[in-house]
């Protein structure tokens, strides 16, 4: 069992296609109206420089404590508006920029972005059947026709952004990554936990900052040396 925890400070560069709004409208409407062009799908999806042999089933399971507190599986974080009053934000309408997004939960949104990025990287990849959260990773693997299973279990995936001024916002993530190969019970289990402090740009929307933060976190997980070795069916070292 591996564990990775860190704090990262991230500043994203300017995205092309920025437009301006001629009329003053609410900041939430700016996020949704296209006054700042949403980043293209390829900039939302993690692409890697290696290709495993065989077919990989990819799945994301939502085990966040927010669901136990009554939040819907579409919940992604909170935005603080005038006077710091918080409002819950969800996949729809904040992140629904591609066809089908408005009907996706957070887990389905991330799974879609993962698969899109890995397909564009040359992987043979399929959706893992993860609708039944009671299934163990081994059972999910057995029910698939893949050679490997890449599974992310979300324990936290949450942002808090202040819409009153341009500064920075926090993106907290806590993810268990599990990789299983055919005929194995577990090749790798590793935890990634961190707070990412995202510097906001005045010419960017909170929407784009969140989309790119999601991509960066998924890419960091995929490019971890232990993860890459397990996916390439290399040996992983035992934790010290």
């Amino acid at each position: 069992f591996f564990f990775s925890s860190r704090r990262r400070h991230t500043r994203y560069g300017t995205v092309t296609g920025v437009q301006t709004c001629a009329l003053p409208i609410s900041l939430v409407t700016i996020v949704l109206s296209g006054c700042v062009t949403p980043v293209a799908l390829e900039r939302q999806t993690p692409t890697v420089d290696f290709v495993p042999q065989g077919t990989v089933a990819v799945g994301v399971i939502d085990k966040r404590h927010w669901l136990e507190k009554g939040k819907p599986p579409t919940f992604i974080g909170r935005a603080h508006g005038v006077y710091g009053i918080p409002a819950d934000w969800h996949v729809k309408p904040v992140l629904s920029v591609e066809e089908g997004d408005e009907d996706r939960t957070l887990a389905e949104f991330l799974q879609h972005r993962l698969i899109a990025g890995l397909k564009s990287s040359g992987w043979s990849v399929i959706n893992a059947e993860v609708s039944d959260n009671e299934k163990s990773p081994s059972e999910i693997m057995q029910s698939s026709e893949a050679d490997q299973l890449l599974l992310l279990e979300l324990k936290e995936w949450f942002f808090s952004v202040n819409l009153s001024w341009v500064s920075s916002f926090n993106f907290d993530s806590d993810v268990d990554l599990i990789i299983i190969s055919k005929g194995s019970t577990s090749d790798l289990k590793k935890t990634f936990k961190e707070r990412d402090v995202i510097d906001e740009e005045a010419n960017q929307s909170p929407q784009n900052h969140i989309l790119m933060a999601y991509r960066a976190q998924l890419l960091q997980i995929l490019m971890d040396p232990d993860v890459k070795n397990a996916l390439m069916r290399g040996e992983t070292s035992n934790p010290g």
Side-chain angles (χ1 to χ4, degrees):
F1 180 83
F2 295 78
F3 180 83
S4 174
S5 179
R6 61 192 291 253
R7 178 185 175 95
R8 182 176 58 193
H9 199 79
T10 306
R11 184 180 182 89
Y12 296 116
T14 301
V15 177
T16 59
V18 175
Q19 303 169 357
T20 59
C21 293
L23 298 175
I25 54 177
S26 71
L27 286 172
V28 173
T29 305
I30 289 176
V31 173
L32 307 177
S33 68
C35 291
V36 176
T37 305
V39 291
L41 180 61
E42 57 265 26
R43 296 202 61 184
Q44 303 174 37
T45 56
T47 55
V48 297
D49 59 358
F50 63 96
V51 179
Q53 295 182 352
T55 300
V56 181
V58 175
V60 179
I61 297 178
D62 195 344
K63 294 188 175 183
R64 295 175 296 162
H65 65 97
W66 299 108
L67 275 61
E68 297 177 358
K69 294 183 177 181
K71 299 294 185 185
T74 57
F75 176 70
I76 59 175
R78 289 199 180 106
H80 298 263
V82 180
Y83 307 117
I85 299 174
D88 288 354
W89 272 9
H90 302 269
V91 173
K92 176 185 177 181
V94 179
L95 301 182
S96 52
V97 297
E98 297 293 329
E99 183 178 356
D101 282 348
E102 61 184 20
D103 297 319
R104 292 185 173 111
T105 65
L106 172 62
E108 291 168 345
F109 180 91
L110 295 176
Q111 185 166 325
H112 174 267
R113 285 342 190 238
L114 270 170
I115 289 178
L118 296 176
K119 280 184 176 179
S120 67
S121 300
W123 290 33
S124 174
V125 60
I126 60 174
N127 278 292
E129 180 51 59
V130 294
S131 57
D132 184 358
N133 280 1
E134 300 301 318
K135 280 187 176 182
S136 69
S138 295
E139 290 172 330
I140 295 172
M141 177 64 194
Q142 291 170 5
S143 64
S144 76
E145 298 181 355
D147 300 291
Q148 287 183 298
L149 170 67
L150 171 64
L151 184 66
L152 273 62
E153 294 184 347
L154 307 180
K155 294 183 291 185
E156 183 61 287
W157 195 277
F158 173 84
F159 74 84
S160 178
V161 58
N162 194 318
L163 297 175
S164 297
W165 60 81
V166 176
S167 56
S168 61
F169 68 89
N170 294 330
F171 171 39
D172 295 309
S173 59
D174 186 358
V175 179
D176 283 342
L177 176 133
I178 300 168
I179 296 174
I180 300 177
S181 296
K182 185 179 293 184
S184 172
T185 57
S186 180
D187 286 352
L188 177 71
K189 181 174 182 179
K190 186 166 185 175
T191 297
F192 296 83
K193 181 177 182 179
E194 71 178 37
R195 165 163 287 185
D196 198 356
V197 181
I198 311 297
D199 287 332
E200 297 184 73
E201 300 282 350
N203 58 1
Q204 269 312 326
S205 66
Q207 179 188 63
N208 280 345
H209 284 121
I210 295 167
L211 288 169
M212 291 187 289
Y214 281 13
R215 177 188 182 274
Q217 184 59 30
L218 294 174
L219 186 59
Q220 177 186 320
I221 292 172
L222 291 170
M223 292 302 295
D224 178 86
D226 293 320
V227 173
K228 182 176 180 179
N229 287 340
L231 287 167
M232 298 299 289
R233 298 186 178 179
E235 295 182 357
T236 59
S237 57
N238 294 322

